[in-house]
């Protein structure tokens, strides 16, 4: 399957889906506190996507085994694809909430890190550097640049800070499909890989580990954890390649910032 170049009509729908994903992440922030369970957050996300936004949560029933919930909640040493459950969050936890809404046939996929109560300076630094890594990758996006340029930029920021980049999971093309081509690695070499063209839309979603990059997948078939049980963080945006450079489709309507 080739990379799908989106036309103006498709881009307009992706802008809507992206905004809704960002709005859902803005909405959920107020509920992330010590004592809340990730199942409670999941129900809030389901209801918001369906009742308020008139869309549907793409994670629900996705893949094999079917993902059982409406969003991913990845706490502390969980790298990604954490399954919401009945365990309450506790003061000092860090959590990634990854939402994907399907609206009018198109996917809005974005994730952010949230602090539960007061977190350690080390955890806050990991969150900040991971955001810097994502933004460095986004800054590399323009026509004529390559996927390798994006990966290189993400990797430089993470490794210069003493962290490691997860290699087994990556960003992806997104549109009518949840996961389209191309694969967007968060490590790589400059001037290598696919050349970017206007109308491409893909996610950049680096997973950055405090310790080593190695991971393990739990028996549930989804939950990805660090082998060394150290912290991991992730942020995710959808990015459109424009004639001028790029446009982030999942900017927070609340703060106006990525
Ligand atoms: N939202 C994730 C991504 O960024 C994919 C989650 S798949 C699920 O690509 F089934 F776990 F939801
Ligand atoms: Co994604
Ligand atoms: Co996602």
């Amino acid at each position: 399957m080739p990379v799908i170049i989106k036309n103006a009509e498709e881009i307009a729908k992706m802008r809507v889906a992206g905004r809704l994903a960002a709005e859902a992440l803005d909405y959920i922030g107020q509920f992330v506190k010590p004592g809340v369970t990730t199942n409670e957050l999941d129900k809030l996300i389901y209801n918001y996507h369906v009742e308020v936004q008139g869309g549907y949560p793409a994670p629900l029933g996705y893949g094999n085994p079917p993902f059982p919930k409406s969003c991913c909640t990845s706490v502390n040493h969980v790298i990604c694809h954490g399954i919401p459950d009945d365990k309450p969050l506790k003061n000092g936890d860090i959590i990634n909430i990854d939402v994907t809404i399907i609206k009018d046939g198109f996917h809005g996929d974005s994730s952010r890190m949230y602090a539960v109560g007061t977190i350690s300076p080390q955890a806050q630094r990991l969150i900040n550097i991971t955001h810097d890594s994502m933004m460095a990758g986004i800054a590399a996006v323009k026509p004529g640049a390559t996927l390798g340029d994006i990966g290189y930029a993400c990797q430089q920021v993470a490794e210069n800070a003493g962290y490691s980049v997860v290699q087994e999971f990556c960003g992806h093309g997104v549109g009518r499909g949840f996961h389209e081509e191309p694969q967007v690695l968060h490590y790589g070499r400059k001037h290598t890989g696919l050349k970017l063209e206007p109308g491409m839309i893909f996610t950049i979603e680096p997973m950055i580990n405090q310790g080593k990059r190695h991971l393990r997948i739990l028996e549930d078939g989804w939950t990805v954890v660090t082998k060394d049980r150290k912290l991991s963080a992730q942020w995710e945006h959808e990015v459109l390649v424009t004639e001028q450079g790029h446009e982030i489709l999942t900017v927070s309507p609340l703060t106006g910032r990525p």
Side-chain angles (χ1 to χ4, degrees), residues 162-180:
Y163 299 140
S164 62
V165 178
V166 169
Q167 296 192 356
E168 290 83 349
F169 295 89
C170 58
H172 50 92
V174 58
R176 285 194 180 277
F178 193 166
H179 296 106
E180 299 180 352

PDB file of all heavy atoms in Angstrom, residues 162-180:
ATOM      1  N   GLY A 162      20.378  12.034  27.610  1.00  0.00           N
ATOM      2  CA  GLY A 162      20.710  10.813  28.348  1.00  0.00           C
ATOM      3  C   GLY A 162      19.623   9.757  28.343  1.00  0.00           C
ATOM      4  O   GLY A 162      19.690   8.790  29.102  1.00  0.00           O
ATOM      5  N   TYR A 163      18.633   9.928  27.462  1.00  0.00           N
ATOM      6  CA  TYR A 163      17.525   8.976  27.381  1.00  0.00           C
ATOM      7  C   TYR A 163      17.675   8.088  26.149  1.00  0.00           C
ATOM      8  O   TYR A 163      18.538   8.315  25.308  1.00  0.00           O
ATOM      9  CB  TYR A 163      16.186   9.735  27.303  1.00  0.00           C
ATOM     10  CG  TYR A 163      15.890  10.605  28.494  1.00  0.00           C
ATOM     11  CD1 TYR A 163      15.312  11.860  28.326  1.00  0.00           C
ATOM     12  CD2 TYR A 163      16.177  10.193  29.801  1.00  0.00           C
ATOM     13  CE1 TYR A 163      15.016  12.675  29.412  1.00  0.00           C
ATOM     14  CE2 TYR A 163      15.886  11.008  30.893  1.00  0.00           C
ATOM     15  CZ  TYR A 163      15.301  12.246  30.692  1.00  0.00           C
ATOM     16  OH  TYR A 163      15.004  13.044  31.767  1.00  0.00           O
ATOM     17  N   SER A 164      16.770   7.079  26.045  1.00  0.00           N
ATOM     18  CA  SER A 164      16.803   6.190  24.883  1.00  0.00           C
ATOM     19  C   SER A 164      15.464   6.222  24.142  1.00  0.00           C
ATOM     20  O   SER A 164      14.419   6.514  24.725  1.00  0.00           O
ATOM     21  CB  SER A 164      17.145   4.764  25.323  1.00  0.00           C
ATOM     22  OG  SER A 164      16.162   4.275  26.198  1.00  0.00           O
ATOM     23  N   VAL A 165      15.533   5.920  22.847  1.00  0.00           N
ATOM     24  CA  VAL A 165      14.357   5.952  21.966  1.00  0.00           C
ATOM     25  C   VAL A 165      13.855   4.535  21.734  1.00  0.00           C
ATOM     26  O   VAL A 165      14.625   3.656  21.320  1.00  0.00           O
ATOM     27  CB  VAL A 165      14.718   6.577  20.600  1.00  0.00           C
ATOM     28  CG1 VAL A 165      13.517   6.570  19.658  1.00  0.00           C
ATOM     29  CG2 VAL A 165      15.257   7.985  20.773  1.00  0.00           C
ATOM     30  N   VAL A 166      12.570   4.318  21.960  1.00  0.00           N
ATOM     31  CA  VAL A 166      11.962   3.011  21.662  1.00  0.00           C
ATOM     32  C   VAL A 166      11.954   2.803  20.147  1.00  0.00           C
ATOM     33  O   VAL A 166      11.585   3.711  19.392  1.00  0.00           O
ATOM     34  CB  VAL A 166      10.523   2.959  22.233  1.00  0.00           C
ATOM     35  CG1 VAL A 166       9.764   1.739  21.719  1.00  0.00           C
ATOM     36  CG2 VAL A 166      10.569   2.980  23.748  1.00  0.00           C
ATOM     37  N   GLN A 167      12.354   1.622  19.702  1.00  0.00           N
ATOM     38  CA  GLN A 167      12.491   1.378  18.264  1.00  0.00           C
ATOM     39  C   GLN A 167      11.379   0.517  17.673  1.00  0.00           C
ATOM     40  O   GLN A 167      11.180   0.504  16.464  1.00  0.00           O
ATOM     41  CB  GLN A 167      13.841   0.693  17.992  1.00  0.00           C
ATOM     42  CG  GLN A 167      15.015   1.593  18.357  1.00  0.00           C
ATOM     43  CD  GLN A 167      16.348   1.061  17.842  1.00  0.00           C
ATOM     44  OE1 GLN A 167      16.413  -0.021  17.264  1.00  0.00           O
ATOM     45  NE2 GLN A 167      17.403   1.835  18.048  1.00  0.00           N
ATOM     46  N   GLU A 168      10.672  -0.234  18.521  1.00  0.00           N
ATOM     47  CA  GLU A 168       9.699  -1.217  18.008  1.00  0.00           C
ATOM     48  C   GLU A 168       8.353  -0.597  17.642  1.00  0.00           C
ATOM     49  O   GLU A 168       7.532  -1.250  16.988  1.00  0.00           O
ATOM     50  CB  GLU A 168       9.462  -2.326  19.035  1.00  0.00           C
ATOM     51  CG  GLU A 168      10.636  -3.263  19.221  1.00  0.00           C
ATOM     52  CD  GLU A 168      11.691  -2.724  20.188  1.00  0.00           C
ATOM     53  OE1 GLU A 168      11.627  -1.538  20.570  1.00  0.00           O
ATOM     54  OE2 GLU A 168      12.579  -3.500  20.566  1.00  0.00           O
ATOM     55  N   PHE A 169       8.083   0.634  18.087  1.00  0.00           N
ATOM     56  CA  PHE A 169       6.824   1.301  17.764  1.00  0.00           C
ATOM     57  C   PHE A 169       7.152   2.653  17.150  1.00  0.00           C
ATOM     58  O   PHE A 169       8.190   3.236  17.449  1.00  0.00           O
ATOM     59  CB  PHE A 169       5.952   1.445  19.013  1.00  0.00           C
ATOM     60  CG  PHE A 169       5.521   0.115  19.564  1.00  0.00           C
ATOM     61  CD1 PHE A 169       6.308  -0.560  20.491  1.00  0.00           C
ATOM     62  CD2 PHE A 169       4.348  -0.489  19.124  1.00  0.00           C
ATOM     63  CE1 PHE A 169       5.935  -1.810  20.977  1.00  0.00           C
ATOM     64  CE2 PHE A 169       3.968  -1.737  19.599  1.00  0.00           C
ATOM     65  CZ  PHE A 169       4.756  -2.396  20.529  1.00  0.00           C
ATOM     66  N   CYS A 170       6.251   3.123  16.286  1.00  0.00           N
ATOM     67  CA  CYS A 170       6.592   4.316  15.504  1.00  0.00           C
ATOM     68  C   CYS A 170       5.346   5.130  15.200  1.00  0.00           C
ATOM     69  O   CYS A 170       4.222   4.715  15.479  1.00  0.00           O
ATOM     70  CB  CYS A 170       7.266   3.874  14.213  1.00  0.00           C
ATOM     71  SG  CYS A 170       6.272   2.775  13.205  1.00  0.00           S
ATOM     72  N   GLY A 171       5.563   6.315  14.621  1.00  0.00           N
ATOM     73  CA  GLY A 171       4.450   7.089  14.075  1.00  0.00           C
ATOM     74  C   GLY A 171       3.994   6.457  12.765  1.00  0.00           C
ATOM     75  O   GLY A 171       4.589   5.489  12.284  1.00  0.00           O
ATOM     76  N   HIS A 172       2.947   7.031  12.175  1.00  0.00           N
ATOM     77  CA  HIS A 172       2.285   6.365  11.045  1.00  0.00           C
ATOM     78  C   HIS A 172       1.461   7.358  10.244  1.00  0.00           C
ATOM     79  O   HIS A 172       0.952   8.336  10.793  1.00  0.00           O
ATOM     80  CB  HIS A 172       1.357   5.265  11.585  1.00  0.00           C
ATOM     81  CG  HIS A 172       0.442   5.756  12.678  1.00  0.00           C
ATOM     82  ND1 HIS A 172      -0.812   6.237  12.422  1.00  0.00           N
ATOM     83  CD2 HIS A 172       0.631   5.893  14.019  1.00  0.00           C
ATOM     84  CE1 HIS A 172      -1.368   6.622  13.573  1.00  0.00           C
ATOM     85  NE2 HIS A 172      -0.514   6.449  14.558  1.00  0.00           N
ATOM     86  N   GLY A 173       1.300   7.044   8.951  1.00  0.00           N
ATOM     87  CA  GLY A 173       0.316   7.764   8.164  1.00  0.00           C
ATOM     88  C   GLY A 173      -1.051   7.570   8.791  1.00  0.00           C
ATOM     89  O   GLY A 173      -1.312   6.559   9.453  1.00  0.00           O
ATOM     90  N   VAL A 174      -1.932   8.564   8.596  1.00  0.00           N
ATOM     91  CA  VAL A 174      -3.256   8.493   9.214  1.00  0.00           C
ATOM     92  C   VAL A 174      -4.239   9.257   8.324  1.00  0.00           C
ATOM     93  O   VAL A 174      -3.884  10.252   7.693  1.00  0.00           O
ATOM     94  CB  VAL A 174      -3.202   9.035  10.668  1.00  0.00           C
ATOM     95  CG1 VAL A 174      -2.685  10.474  10.728  1.00  0.00           C
ATOM     96  CG2 VAL A 174      -4.541   8.907  11.376  1.00  0.00           C
ATOM     97  N   GLY A 175      -5.478   8.761   8.286  1.00  0.00           N
ATOM     98  CA  GLY A 175      -6.496   9.371   7.427  1.00  0.00           C
ATOM     99  C   GLY A 175      -7.788   8.596   7.599  1.00  0.00           C
ATOM    100  O   GLY A 175      -8.302   8.492   8.713  1.00  0.00           O
ATOM    101  N   ARG A 176      -8.296   7.999   6.513  1.00  0.00           N
ATOM    102  CA  ARG A 176      -9.426   7.059   6.646  1.00  0.00           C
ATOM    103  C   ARG A 176      -8.982   5.831   7.423  1.00  0.00           C
ATOM    104  O   ARG A 176      -9.766   5.195   8.118  1.00  0.00           O
ATOM    105  CB  ARG A 176      -9.938   6.640   5.272  1.00  0.00           C
ATOM    106  CG  ARG A 176     -10.738   7.709   4.596  1.00  0.00           C
ATOM    107  CD  ARG A 176     -11.506   7.151   3.397  1.00  0.00           C
ATOM    108  NE  ARG A 176     -12.260   8.212   2.768  1.00  0.00           N
ATOM    109  CZ  ARG A 176     -13.460   8.620   3.180  1.00  0.00           C
ATOM    110  NH1 ARG A 176     -14.046   8.031   4.212  1.00  0.00           N
ATOM    111  NH2 ARG A 176     -14.083   9.600   2.573  1.00  0.00           N
ATOM    112  N   GLY A 177      -7.716   5.492   7.285  1.00  0.00           N
ATOM    113  CA  GLY A 177      -7.126   4.393   8.052  1.00  0.00           C
ATOM    114  C   GLY A 177      -6.511   4.913   9.340  1.00  0.00           C
ATOM    115  O   GLY A 177      -6.002   6.033   9.383  1.00  0.00           O
ATOM    116  N   PHE A 178      -6.580   4.083  10.400  1.00  0.00           N
ATOM    117  CA  PHE A 178      -5.961   4.421  11.691  1.00  0.00           C
ATOM    118  C   PHE A 178      -4.443   4.394  11.500  1.00  0.00           C
ATOM    119  O   PHE A 178      -3.749   5.349  11.865  1.00  0.00           O
ATOM    120  CB  PHE A 178      -6.416   3.376  12.722  1.00  0.00           C
ATOM    121  CG  PHE A 178      -6.136   3.693  14.171  1.00  0.00           C
ATOM    122  CD1 PHE A 178      -6.766   2.942  15.176  1.00  0.00           C
ATOM    123  CD2 PHE A 178      -5.287   4.714  14.558  1.00  0.00           C
ATOM    124  CE1 PHE A 178      -6.538   3.209  16.516  1.00  0.00           C
ATOM    125  CE2 PHE A 178      -5.049   4.985  15.912  1.00  0.00           C
ATOM    126  CZ  PHE A 178      -5.670   4.223  16.880  1.00  0.00           C
ATOM    127  N   HIS A 179      -3.946   3.300  10.933  1.00  0.00           N
ATOM    128  CA  HIS A 179      -2.507   3.173  10.711  1.00  0.00           C
ATOM    129  C   HIS A 179      -2.236   2.935   9.232  1.00  0.00           C
ATOM    130  O   HIS A 179      -2.420   1.837   8.733  1.00  0.00           O
ATOM    131  CB  HIS A 179      -1.931   2.049  11.579  1.00  0.00           C
ATOM    132  CG  HIS A 179      -2.048   2.331  13.051  1.00  0.00           C
ATOM    133  ND1 HIS A 179      -2.957   1.710  13.867  1.00  0.00           N
ATOM    134  CD2 HIS A 179      -1.381   3.214  13.826  1.00  0.00           C
ATOM    135  CE1 HIS A 179      -2.838   2.189  15.105  1.00  0.00           C
ATOM    136  NE2 HIS A 179      -1.888   3.107  15.100  1.00  0.00           N
ATOM    137  N   GLU A 180      -1.862   3.999   8.547  1.00  0.00           N
ATOM    138  CA  GLU A 180      -1.533   3.929   7.122  1.00  0.00           C
ATOM    139  C   GLU A 180      -0.020   4.007   6.969  1.00  0.00           C
ATOM    140  O   GLU A 180       0.706   4.277   7.919  1.00  0.00           O
ATOM    141  CB  GLU A 180      -2.163   5.130   6.385  1.00  0.00           C
ATOM    142  CG  GLU A 180      -3.694   5.186   6.463  1.00  0.00           C
ATOM    143  CD  GLU A 180      -4.285   6.393   5.722  1.00  0.00           C
ATOM    144  OE1 GLU A 180      -3.511   7.273   5.278  1.00  0.00           O
ATOM    145  OE2 GLU A 180      -5.523   6.446   5.587  1.00  0.00           O
TER     146      GLU A 180
END
